Structures are given as C-alpha cells and as structure tokens.
C-alpha cells in the first residue's frame, strides 16, 4: 500500500492561502515578520532562562520547554509557506508531507501538555504557596516534562503511520498551506474510517482533557483568590489569568472547532483562517503573554545585559 502511494503520488501541490496575486508580497512580508518575531521572542526566553540562575524554577522550566515547542511548531509550517508564496510550483514531496504531519502533531500536542503543566504550577503557587516547593519538586517537574514528550511522540507516530497506509491515486492538490490530516483524508481513495475514529477519540482525549484541566486550574485559582480578597492581588491575578486564558482559548478553540467539531457551514477560507490562528498567531503571542510581560523575565534581561556590558568594557 505504501509503495503504491509513493509510485502513484510522489508529491502534493499546496494551494496555500486564499489571497489575491497582487497581495502576495504584502502577505509574504507580514508572515515573514510574524515568523521572525516568533523565533526571536522564543529564543530570547530560552537564552534568558538558561543564563539567569534566578529563573531556574519549575515555572520557567515549563516556560523554556513551551518556548522551544512554539519555536518548532511554527517552523514546521512557516518556512514551507513562505517558500511556496514565492514559488511558481508550491509543492511538497510525499515523504515531506508525512514528516510535516508528524512534527506538526508532535509539537502541537507538546504545547497542549505543557500548558496543562504550567496551569497546574500556577494553581499550586497561588492556592498552596506554603507547600509549593514541596509539591512542585524537581522530580515531579521533570516527570511532567518527560511524560509530555513521551506521550506526544506516540500520538504523533500513531497518526503518521495511519496516514502512511492510505492510498492517493489521482488528485494531489491540497487546498491548504500545509499537509493537514483532514485535507489528506479527503484526497485518499482508501477507507479512512479508522483514521477518522482515531482522530475523533484519541485526538479528542489529547485536546479536550488538557483544555478542561487548564480551565479547572484557573477556576480554582479564581475561587481561591475571591475567598481572601485583596485589591492588588485580585487585579494582578485576574490580569495574569485573563491574558493566559485568552491565548489558551485561542489555541484550543481553533483546534477543537476545526478538528473535533467541524461544521458544514465552515468555508475553506474560514478553516484556513482558523489554522493560521493556532499555527502562526498563538506561537507568536505566547512569548509576550507568558514571559516578556513578566517582571522576573525583565529583571533577567537587565541582569544579563548589564553583565555582558561590564564584560565588554573589561
């Protein structure tokens, strides 16, 4: 079956974004700027956490992994999108398509699990501040990170292998800017019921359960704060939780709406716009939402900058 796939279909054509040809250069510059912002923002966070010992805490362990995940997640689709926007033949090989599917799922799932770990960390820090260091021990934090990487590896591999068994006989045009699984299933001339069931049940567990756990964690945080109200604490907590939940809702809302609750009324343009939200916009916003607005990160930036400035003059 796989051999047949590769002999009949050796590459796919990606139609890309539904934009007019005269707007191509404008959108190219926009997406290039967004991609560079994503790369630089997340790299800055990783470097600061690595260099500043004050940031060697559980929260920033999760943040550094989230930044790495965002950086890679965006890099799975954006370079190919930018290349195809300047190409006369926007194509991707069969092997490249499967590779893109694997890493797209891997880093997307990894972000989902890391967001849960971060929400739990905030819940413990706010609701059980006196027991924080005991609960969030280095062993537990490392276990959460390792478990996230292991689970995402198997989930991404499962979907990739199920996609590799499909036959693609004639049509090789993907009306998307990357190798989206749902678009590939529509092109396949094989029986895709197993793939669809796995996407619905396993994918649902991977997406819905983390989302509910995040909402539960922040709900407990809000209830805990309201029990012992203090003006500044409430404003700070709601500001932090609100910004975090806005990005979480943007990511999960787009993914769940696109893959688990598809609507017959959804046009192709709407589906692509939703995909852009969680593949391009969310990885770019996360550094500002979770880290660069953080006072500890600003302090680390000042310390690293001043240290390098002193070394330069010496």
């Amino acid at each position: 079956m796989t051999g047949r796939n590769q002999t009949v279909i050796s590459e796919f054509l990606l139609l890309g974004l539904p934009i007019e040809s005269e707007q191509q250069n404008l959108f190219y510059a926009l997406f290039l700027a967004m991609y560079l912002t994503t790369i630089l923002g997340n790299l800055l966070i990783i470097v600061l956490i690595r260099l500043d010992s004050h940031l060697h805490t559980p929260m920033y362990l999760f943040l550094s992994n989230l930044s790495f995940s965002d950086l890679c997640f965006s890099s799975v689709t954006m370079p190919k999108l930018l290349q195809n926007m300047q190409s006369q033949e926007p194509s991707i090989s069969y092997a490249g398509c499967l590779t893109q599917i694997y890493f797209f799922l891997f880093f997307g799932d990894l972000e989902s699990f890391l967001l849960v770990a971060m929400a739990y960390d905030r819940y413990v820090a706010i609701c059980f501040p006196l027991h924080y260091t005991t609960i969030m021990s280095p062993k537990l934090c490392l276990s959460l990170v390792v478990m996230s990487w292991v689970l995402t590896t198997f989930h991404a591999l499962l979907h990739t292998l199920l996609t590799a068994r499909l036959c693609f006989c004639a049509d090789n045009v993907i009306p998307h800017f990357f190798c989206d699984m749902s678009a590939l299933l529509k092109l396949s001339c094989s029986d895709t019921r197993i793939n669809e069931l796995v996407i619905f049940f396993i994918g649902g567990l991977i997406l819905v359960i983390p989302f509910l756990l995040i909402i539960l964690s922040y709900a407990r945080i809000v209830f805990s704060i309201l029990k012992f109200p203090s003006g500044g604490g409430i404003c700070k907590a709601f500001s932090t939780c609100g910004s975090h939940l806005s990005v979480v809702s943007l990511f999960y809302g787009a993914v769940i709406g696109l893959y688990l609750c598809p609507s017959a009324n959804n046009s192709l343009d709407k589906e692509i716009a939703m995909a852009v939200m969680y593949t391009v916009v969310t990885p770019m916003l996360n550094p500002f939402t979770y880290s660069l607005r953080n006072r500890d990160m600003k302090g680390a930036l000042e310390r690293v900058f001043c240290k390098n400035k002193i070394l330069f003059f010496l």
Side-chain angles (χ1 to χ4, degrees):
M1 294 285 281
T2 305
R4 186 185 172 192
N5 285 353
Q6 295 175 342
T7 55
V8 175
I9 296 293
S10 61
E11 66 177 13
F12 294 97
L13 297 179
L14 296 171
L15 292 187
L17 302 172
I19 55 179
E20 301 294 336
S21 56
E22 57 268 17
Q23 298 177 328
Q24 194 84 356
N25 291 332
L26 175 63
F27 276 90
Y28 178 84
L30 175 63
F31 280 100
L32 179 60
M34 294 174 72
Y35 180 57
L36 291 177
T37 301
T38 302
I39 296 297
L40 294 176
N42 286 293
L43 275 178
L44 177 61
I45 291 169
I46 294 171
V47 171
L48 286 178
I49 294 174
R50 177 70 176 175
L51 294 179
D52 195 298
S53 60
H54 295 86
L55 301 181
H56 294 173
T57 62
M59 181 177 73
Y60 293 106
L61 169 66
F62 299 137
L63 274 174
S64 62
N65 278 270
L66 180 69
S67 293
F68 179 76
S69 175
D70 281 332
L71 190 155
C72 295
F73 186 51
S74 182
S75 297
V76 171
T77 57
M78 285 299 289
K80 191 62 181 176
L81 169 62
L82 294 170
Q83 178 189 346
N84 288 342
M85 289 179 76
Q86 298 295 308
S87 173
Q88 298 298 322
E89 296 183 0
S91 63
I92 185 171
S93 66
Y94 177 82
C97 191
L98 289 180
T99 302
Q100 191 178 65
I101 287 174
Y102 175 80
F103 286 107
F104 178 82
L105 291 171
F106 179 86
F107 290 112
D109 291 344
L110 182 60
E111 177 160 346
S112 178
F113 284 117
L114 289 173
L115 288 173
V116 176
M118 291 170 61
Y120 179 69
D121 175 77
R122 291 300 83 206
Y123 163 69
V124 174
I126 294 175
C127 298
F128 305 98
L130 299 179
H131 302 284
Y132 177 77
T133 54
T134 304
I135 298 174
M136 298 303 295
S137 63
K139 183 178 179 180
L140 175 63
C141 295
L142 185 60
S143 298
L144 290 174
V145 172
V146 171
M147 183 174 64
S148 299
W149 281 80
V150 172
L151 288 176
T152 54
T153 299
F154 285 109
H155 182 243
L157 188 60
L158 172 64
H159 284 292
T160 306
L161 292 176
L162 286 175
T163 305
R165 57 179 279 277
L166 299 177
C167 286
F168 301 93
C169 305
D171 191 4
N172 70 333
V173 179
I174 300 177
H176 220 301
F177 63 91
F178 67 95
C179 284
D180 181 64
M181 275 199 307
S182 59
L184 281 176
L185 293 183
K186 294 175 183 177
L187 292 181
S188 175
C189 52
S190 303
D191 185 358
T192 60
R193 283 177 295 182
I194 294 178
N195 299 67
E196 292 167 356
L197 286 174
V198 171
I199 289 174
F200 186 78
F201 288 107
I202 306 298
L205 292 175
I206 293 292
L207 288 174
V208 175
I209 291 179
F211 180 62
L212 293 178
L213 289 174
I214 291 171
I215 296 299
L216 179 62
S217 296
Y218 283 115
R220 293 292 299 273
I221 289 172
V222 171
F223 290 142
S224 177
I225 293 170
L226 293 178
K227 281 183 180 179
F228 307 99
S230 64
I234 290 178
C235 291
K236 182 179 178 181
F238 276 112
S239 173
T240 303
C241 293
S243 58
H244 290 190
L245 282 174
S246 63
V247 176
V248 168
S249 300
L250 183 67
F251 176 78
Y252 282 102
V255 174
I256 293 174
L258 192 58
Y259 293 106
L260 298 184
C261 304
S263 172
N265 297 324
N266 282 355
S267 65
L268 179 61
D269 292 358
K270 185 177 179 180
E271 290 182 357
I272 292 178
M274 292 170 69
V276 169
M277 293 302 290
Y278 73 85
T279 59
V280 180
V281 177
T282 303
M284 182 186 69
L285 292 179
N286 278 348
F288 300 98
T289 303
Y290 287 102
S291 301
L292 297 182
R293 293 173 65 246
N294 187 300
R295 187 165 46 188
D296 294 336
M297 294 297 295
K298 291 179 180 178
L301 184 61
E302 292 175 2
R303 286 189 293 271
V304 170
F305 178 78
C306 292
K307 182 179 179 181
N308 290 334
K309 190 175 180 180
I310 294 172
L311 291 176
F312 175 78
F313 284 111
L314 290 177

